[in-house]
Amino acid sequence: VGILRILKLARSFRKHPEQHTREVRQRRVRSLVSNLLRVLNIQPTEYNRKFVPKGAALIVANHKSNVDALSLIKLLGSGESVVPLTFVTKTELSKKKVTKAVLELLEAVMLDRESPREAGEAALAISERLRQGYQVCVFAEGTRNDDPNIIGEFKAGALKPAYRAYRAILPVSIVFSENVLSKKGPLDLLLHLVKERKLDLLDLDVRSLADQYLTMVTTNASTNLEEITEYLGMATYLIELKSRMVIPPPGELGGQNEADLERDRLVARLLEYSSYKAVIPGFYELWEKRSRIYLKRASALDQDIVFNQEAPLPEGVDPIKIHTAMQKIYDRLEE
């Protein structure tokens, strides 16, 4: 019901923005987020609330998971004096209907990370939001980083809008949200349990792992049908494997039974998936470097080069040697 109301409010806001005050829109979004976090059994906790400005400010935070923004809306939207909150976010999020509606109601600043021109326009829009009294949150790393021990490099220019608008800057550290079941699959959870319990993958106790997995899934149950189906599918697989290891089927009592072979397949699958995850940060780093490179379209040579046949060659330059060098270059090109 809350989602339908948000969608309806967003449609009305697009047509008649003057009819919906900022306070009402902010309150509706906070209500939706509070209900969503309660359903997902997520209870964010804040520390050092006394440092949060009571007016407009640029909130610079790291980014661990998809619940980071929800947690900030929940925490910053509580208390005696509530300041309007908005976000700087990538344009890809506007492709999802509900997310787009929420971002529109918050008057979020949309950023196309591949367009330098839009980046400049977004910086001006952030400064304007700050002047309008918003607290603007920017995830300065530019992408999610679920490694609990690493904070990524902050993007250059993330703080400039606050300087332009003469507003406070509030650094925020988000921790542990990467453990929430969001945008992760069953294999991620299994690897998390293996790492947390300091288990040896090559000598894995599947029965113990199955019990811990079931406990984790039931404690952090998701309402997303597609997502929870994946976790329950893995849970069913682990339960079956555990039962076959405890009571092997007839005919498998001697030697290595099918359950042991299946356990080895699971271990191999986890090792392979772990190796894939290990190289992903390298690809992110390459993508970040590539995003900082801007190409200029090729133009005709005669537009950039002015030939002056009457101009003398510099002293010491032998035209014969120049001709010989150019001929060698052409010969190589033909090869």
Side-chain angles (χ1 to χ4, degrees):
V1 177
I3 293 177
L4 294 178
R5 288 178 178 174
I6 284 291
L7 293 174
K8 182 179 179 180
L9 179 61
R11 286 195 298 268
S12 179
F13 178 62
R14 293 186 202 112
K15 297 179 181 179
H16 309 287
E18 71 283 352
Q19 296 181 3
H20 305 281
T21 64
R22 183 170 65 181
E23 290 72 19
V24 171
R25 289 183 279 112
Q26 291 272 324
R27 187 169 63 249
R28 290 285 186 87
V29 171
R30 288 196 298 268
S31 176
L32 174 67
V33 169
S34 296
N35 292 333
L36 182 59
L37 291 176
R38 186 177 67 254
V39 170
L40 295 176
N41 194 27
I42 299 174
Q43 299 177 352
T45 305
E46 63 181 351
Y47 299 93
N48 297 320
R49 174 81 185 200
K50 60 183 179 181
F51 295 115
V52 178
K54 296 183 179 180
L58 182 68
I59 300 172
V60 183
N62 60 322
H63 197 9
K64 291 296 183 183
S65 76
N66 287 339
V67 301
D68 294 344
L70 302 180
S71 300
L72 288 172
I73 293 174
K74 169 70 174 178
L75 296 174
L76 294 174
S78 60
E80 297 179 358
S81 58
V82 178
V83 181
L85 176 67
T86 191
F87 293 86
V88 180
T89 183
K90 56 187 179 182
T91 54
E92 295 94 303
L93 291 180
S94 61
K95 296 178 181 179
K96 300 180 180 180
K97 186 180 296 185
V98 177
T99 307
K100 179 182 178 181
V102 171
L103 294 175
E104 287 179 347
L105 294 175
L106 294 178
E107 294 188 286
V109 178
M110 309 303 292
L111 174 63
D112 184 354
R113 294 180 293 187
E114 297 182 359
S115 173
R117 178 180 178 181
E118 288 199 16
E121 294 176 353
L124 295 176
I126 296 170
S127 298
E128 183 60 26
R129 296 289 190 279
L130 291 170
R131 294 189 186 98
Q132 293 171 353
Y134 277 98
Q135 287 183 344
V136 182
C137 178
V138 54
F139 296 112
E141 292 170 297
T143 186
R144 287 194 307 272
N145 174 19
D146 58 4
D147 191 324
N149 301 314
I150 296 177
I151 294 181
E153 180 183 356
F154 280 15
K155 295 293 184 181
L159 307 181
K160 289 183 179 179
Y163 297 150
R164 294 194 186 101
Y166 297 98
R167 294 296 186 267
I169 298 174
L170 174 67
V172 173
S173 175
I174 299 175
V175 294
F176 304 131
S177 67
E178 69 274 6
N179 296 330
V180 178
L181 295 184
S182 176
K183 280 292 185 182
K184 290 188 176 183
L187 291 178
D188 293 278
L189 179 55
L190 286 176
L191 288 175
H192 169 72
L193 291 173
V194 169
K195 183 177 181 180
E196 186 180 66
R197 305 299 193 274
K198 297 181 180 180
L199 303 177
D200 184 2
L201 262 180
L202 299 178
D203 188 23
L204 190 61
D205 184 356
V206 174
R207 287 171 286 187
S208 175
L209 182 63
D211 293 336
Q212 295 169 13
Y213 179 88
L214 291 173
T215 301
M216 195 76 168
V217 169
T218 52
T219 303
N220 299 275
S222 170
T223 56
N224 186 313
L225 183 60
E226 181 179 351
E227 181 178 299
I228 195 61
T229 300
E230 295 180 3
Y231 287 96
L232 292 179
M234 177 61 74
T236 304
Y237 168 75
L238 290 174
I239 292 173
E240 180 184 2
L241 181 56
K242 176 184 175 182
S243 63
R244 295 179 67 176
M245 295 185 73
V246 174
I247 307 176
E252 295 185 358
L253 297 178
Q256 189 178 30
N257 55 41
E258 183 63 28
D260 292 329
L261 294 175
E262 194 62 38
R263 172 199 167 280
D264 293 342
R265 295 189 190 102
L266 174 62
V267 170
R269 188 178 174 189
L270 287 172
L271 287 171
E272 182 181 22
Y273 187 67
S274 178
S275 64
Y276 286 146
K277 285 178 66 68
V279 300
I280 286 177
F283 286 108
Y284 275 123
E285 184 178 350
L286 292 174
W287 182 86
E288 291 290 342
K289 291 181 179 178
R290 177 62 183 84
S291 65
R292 299 172 187 172
I293 299 175
Y294 305 107
L295 302 179
K296 177 184 178 299
R297 291 185 178 181
S299 56
L301 287 176
D302 55 4
Q303 295 179 3
D304 299 324
I305 301 177
V306 178
F307 295 96
N308 188 350
Q309 297 179 354
E310 298 180 357
L313 291 173
E315 184 178 353
V317 176
D318 186 349
I320 303 299
K321 291 183 178 180
I322 294 177
H323 178 270
T324 304
M326 291 298 298
Q327 188 61 49
K328 290 181 179 180
I329 293 175
Y330 289 137
D331 292 342
R332 290 176 184 174
L333 291 176
E334 291 177 358
E335 293 176 359

